[in-house]
Amino acid sequence: MNAHAPAGQSGTAGSSGSILKQSSAVWAIAFACVVAFMGIGLVDPILPAIAESLRATPAQTELLFTSYLAVTGIAMFFTSWVSSRIGAKKTLMIGLALIVLFSVLAAVSNDVWTIIGFRAGWGLGNALFISTALATIVGAASGGTASAIILYEAALGLGIAVGPLVGGLLGSVSWRGPFFGVTTLMAVAFIAILALLKSGSLEKPTPTKLSAPFRALGRPALAALAATALFYNIGFFVLLAYTPFPLGFGALGIGFTFFGWGVGLAITSVWVAPMLTARMRRTSVLKLALPLLALDLFAAAVVVRSSAGLIVCVVIGGLVLGVLNTVLTECVMEATDLPRSVASSAYSAVRFIGGAIAPPVATLLADAYSPSAAYVFAGVSVAVAFLVVVLTTKVLRRVDDGEEPERVEAEAISAGEMA
């Protein structure tokens, strides 16, 4: 598929046919992505168990997400600067090594604040790995940008689907089990990238300025997408990180619930999102999916005291999230002429900061008012994301119609340089 082809044009099929025909290096990165995203959901089923075992409050255990996501987000502003100097392979391996180190340290800790600190270190490794992996897959995969992003989102969906299930299985034995599981799988991913990813097969990076991701947010299109993702991710992580508490299940029950959520996310990210963008403009898909997600979160606020009702809302949320993840990522990769590593770093940084805000705020609102308040907060945040897309449709025209005319492109470049 021509990544700049207007919606409705053929070409998706052409690229989708080549999605499985990738080099061993691309598959090694994709496997590592699966494991990295497993690390997000792996902790989800054991939050209540950690709270009980370490005598921590729900708000304290939610900080396991916050420290991880906040450091991930802040560090992502600088990952393109690092990878452009030492190369993608070294950046990926340093990121994986840090995740292995801090996940094993978290596994042997006996204090919730210590684990929160180690999750922050884990987030640093995650930042180095994730933003570099996306740019590397897009650059190295066959079939063009669209196929590469579908492959990346498939890895994300599979990791998020399997993570809670593995976390639930291991967590039913001990809350330490999922941390040791991440350690083992990330070590395998480290070896796979070391053996299969040849530095010579990657483009030689052009050093970027430390300020590049910050200046990138001066581009109206990228700024609009980053703002959308910030508010959208609040809804994403309220659903993921807060829901284990009102569900009232053990680790295994939470794991199976979010396994269903992740499977839905994986299916729609790989198959449904490309079908929609082949028939509709990307911004139109966003305008359709964001209100659906907001309604799902408001429904969760209504049925919050029903475990069965919450499960339905979680699974439906996963189906919508898969579409949004893929379409937003495609939009970011095509919104500007910036190097993909810079665009990915800037966008992902803002996105993860939104995720960091969500869990503690949701828990505090639930404690102060009622569990429903957490989902109302999430639904309103997603509604704000929808408004951002509606109000910035004109500056997002490149993600719908392809590259802008040379004059408009020059003006956008000048505006970015002046920022």
Side-chain angles (χ1 to χ4, degrees):
M1 176 181 177
N2 180 352
H4 293 303
Q9 286 188 5
S10 61
T12 303
S15 64
S16 62
S18 64
I19 188 173
L20 298 178
K21 298 177 181 178
Q22 307 293 345
S23 66
S24 58
V26 170
W27 285 118
I29 300 170
F31 169 73
C33 286
V34 171
V35 182
F37 287 112
M38 280 179 64
I40 296 176
L42 205 71
V43 178
D44 205 41
I46 60 173
L47 291 177
I50 290 176
E52 182 179 353
S53 298
L54 301 182
R55 298 179 180 178
T57 66
Q60 287 174 329
T61 53
E62 292 294 88
L63 291 177
L64 292 172
F65 275 99
T66 298
S67 64
Y68 170 81
L69 294 170
V71 172
T72 296
I74 294 169
M76 276 188 169
F77 280 118
F78 309 102
T79 53
S80 61
W81 181 84
V82 173
S83 64
S84 70
R85 279 160 175 76
I86 67 174
K89 181 175 181 178
K90 289 181 180 178
T91 306
L92 292 170
M93 292 177 63
I94 291 171
L96 289 172
L98 287 173
I99 294 172
V100 169
L101 172 64
F102 286 108
S103 59
V104 75
L105 289 174
V108 299
S109 299
N110 295 303
D111 174 74
V112 69
W113 290 106
T114 303
I115 300 175
I116 290 168
F118 288 142
R119 280 283 284 177
W122 189 336
L124 175 60
N126 196 56
L128 289 168
F129 176 79
I130 287 180
S131 64
T132 308
L134 173 57
T136 304
I137 284 181
V138 170
S142 61
T145 300
S147 287
I149 290 172
I150 292 171
L151 179 62
Y152 177 82
E153 293 297 337
L156 182 153
L158 182 60
I160 285 181
V162 175
L165 183 60
V166 174
L169 292 169
L170 296 177
S172 64
V173 178
S174 167
W175 65 262
R176 301 178 192 274
F179 291 115
F180 282 120
V182 168
T183 302
T184 303
L185 290 170
M186 277 301 189
V188 172
F190 180 92
I191 294 169
I193 289 181
L194 178 64
L196 299 175
L197 182 61
K198 307 300 180 185
S199 297
S201 65
L202 303 174
E203 292 183 12
K204 187 175 181 179
T206 301
T208 61
K209 294 182 179 180
L210 196 60
S211 61
F214 299 98
R215 295 172 65 188
L217 292 174
R219 301 287 185 94
L222 190 60
L225 292 168
T228 301
L230 185 147
F231 290 104
Y232 150 72
N233 244 33
I234 290 175
F236 185 113
F237 277 97
V238 168
L239 195 65
L240 175 64
Y242 173 71
T243 303
F245 290 101
L247 268 179
F249 295 159
L252 202 54
I254 296 170
F256 276 113
T257 298
F258 280 93
F259 174 68
W261 173 79
V263 168
L265 190 152
I267 289 171
T268 53
S269 66
V270 175
W271 286 289
V272 178
M275 287 170 54
L276 290 174
T277 54
R279 293 163 176 79
M280 303 167 61
R281 295 181 182 274
R282 288 178 178 133
T283 53
S284 297
V285 177
L286 295 179
K287 291 173 186 176
L288 173 66
L290 285 168
L292 289 176
L293 179 59
L295 289 172
D296 180 65
L297 291 165
F298 288 134
V302 174
V303 303
V304 68
R305 300 195 184 278
S306 165
S307 296
L310 267 185
I311 291 172
V312 171
C313 289
V314 166
V315 174
I316 291 174
L319 292 169
V320 182
L321 289 167
V323 172
L324 286 167
N325 278 353
T326 296
V327 176
L328 277 170
T329 304
E330 285 186 2
C331 287
V332 169
M333 292 293 102
E334 303 300 337
T336 70
D337 62 334
L338 292 166
R340 289 189 175 105
S341 61
V342 173
S344 174
S345 294
Y347 165 79
S348 297
V350 177
R351 178 168 63 101
F352 276 101
I353 289 170
I357 293 169
V361 173
T363 305
L364 291 172
L365 287 171
D367 290 343
Y369 300 101
S370 73
S372 295
Y375 294 104
V376 172
F377 163 63
V380 169
S381 296
V382 174
V384 172
F386 168 72
L387 288 176
V388 171
V389 174
V390 170
L391 294 174
T392 60
T393 299
K394 288 186 178 180
V395 302
L396 293 176
R397 61 187 180 275
R398 172 167 167 157
V399 308
D400 288 328
D401 301 327
E403 294 189 23
E404 297 167 329
E406 187 176 341
R407 179 183 58 81
V408 177
E409 185 71 13
E411 290 173 358
I413 293 171
S414 298
E417 289 175 348
M418 292 168 62

